Amino acid sequence: MNVEILAAADYSLVTVEGRVDTTNANEFEKSMLSVVDGGATKIVLDCAGLNYISSSGLRVFLIVQKKMIAIKGKFALCCLQPEIKEIFDISGFSSIFSIYADKEAAIKG
Amino acid sequence: MENITEVKKLLIDNQIDELSRVATWLEELGEEWEFPMSLVLSLNLVLEEALTNTILYGYEDKLRHSIEILFSKSGDLLKVSIVDDGLAYDPTTKPDPDITLSVEDRPIGGLGVFLIKKIMDTVEYQRIENKNHLTLTKNIKP
């Protein structure tokens, strides 16, 4: 797994690549929470390079979404690979996250 | 024509690090059995969810235990068995999460077993001679 964080003027862009699973979900959670706790009101998570996720990873997505909703912020996901989108569909996550087809739309949205 | 049954077996220790070895083993098996990448990823997810539960919550002692993973393929039918000597745990009795809840009401976690049930066609549990036997099947017709 590789996580990159870019703080722009009015949003934070996080890029996650590789696998988010039981072995590294804690690390992913720390990175995401550092952005949330840093005061971001809009987080865009680019998932183009994310090719595997298990329930440990989904858990982190839900934690961030709950926190962002609590502060009336925005958590936008983009560029999910079909296999990842399928897991989101099965879990009912597709209806509780804002998912965009491309990064530009997620930044604007 | 009669189907030949092919069998592959992997033994792992009750350590979370072993999940990486499971992923590599599954990728190699996927190549050999010509599984599409999406199937390999789904099966990886199923194994990870089942094994994580066993490794994290299945043992009261700190000893080393072996977990056996068995894949058998007969025609289009794939059978996955996981056998461990951990505490008795029947995941099939776990109620499904309500996936229609709002973000605020959705509990954190509790998706693992549900994902296994959604990806596989059948999920069966047996306790035999102090061992958990989880048997999963899936029709893998392309």
Side-chain angles (χ1 to χ4, degrees), chain A residues 19-23 51-56 58-59 62-63 65-66 69 83 87 89-93 95-96, chain B residues 16 19-20 23 38 41 44-45 48-49 52 99 101-109 111-112 114-115 118-119:
Chain A
R19 301 166 60 93
V20 178
D21 59 23
T22 311
T23 67
N51 48 35
Y52 178 85
I53 191 159
S54 69
S55 66
S56 326
L58 292 173
R59 185 183 159 276
L62 187 58
I63 290 173
Q65 178 69 321
K66 279 177 182 275
I69 283 182
E83 290 81 12
I87 303 298
D89 289 344
I90 294 175
S91 315
F93 273 30
S95 54
I96 54 171
Chain B
I16 282 296
L19 292 175
S20 327
S38 57
L41 288 170
N44 192 163
L45 180 59
E48 182 183 327
E49 302 300 348
T52 299
I99 62 164
L101 292 175
S102 68
V103 178
E104 291 90 338
D105 295 333
R106 280 226 36 185
I108 306 277
L111 278 172
F114 181 66
L115 289 171
K118 293 300 249 186
I119 291 169

Side-chain angles (χ1 to χ4, degrees), chain A residues 7-107:
Chain A
D10 48 2
Y11 64 92
S12 290
L13 173 68
V14 183
T15 308
V16 61
E17 287 174 339
R19 301 166 60 93
V20 178
D21 59 23
T22 311
T23 67
N24 60 23
N26 277 350
E27 209 182 309
F28 179 56
E29 183 175 349
K30 270 185 205 155
S31 301
M32 291 306 296
L33 291 185
S34 76
V35 179
V36 176
D37 297 338
T41 50
K42 181 169 186 176
I43 301 174
V44 175
L45 181 59
D46 182 348
C47 300
L50 178 69
N51 48 35
Y52 178 85
I53 191 159
S54 69
S55 66
S56 326
L58 292 173
R59 185 183 159 276
V60 179
F61 276 72
L62 187 58
I63 290 173
V64 173
Q65 178 69 321
K66 279 177 182 275
K67 284 184 178 272
M68 292 311 281
I69 283 182
I71 62 158
K72 297 194 165 49
K74 172 103 184 173
F75 183 35
L77 314 180
C78 85
C79 326
L80 271 65
Q81 292 184 17
E83 290 81 12
I84 305 293
K85 179 66 170 54
E86 203 190 324
I87 303 298
F88 268 66
D89 289 344
I90 294 175
S91 315
F93 273 30
S94 296
S95 54
I96 54 171
F97 284 88
S98 305
I99 302 173
Y100 297 87
D102 58 74
K103 196 158 65 181
E104 288 67 34
I107 291 169

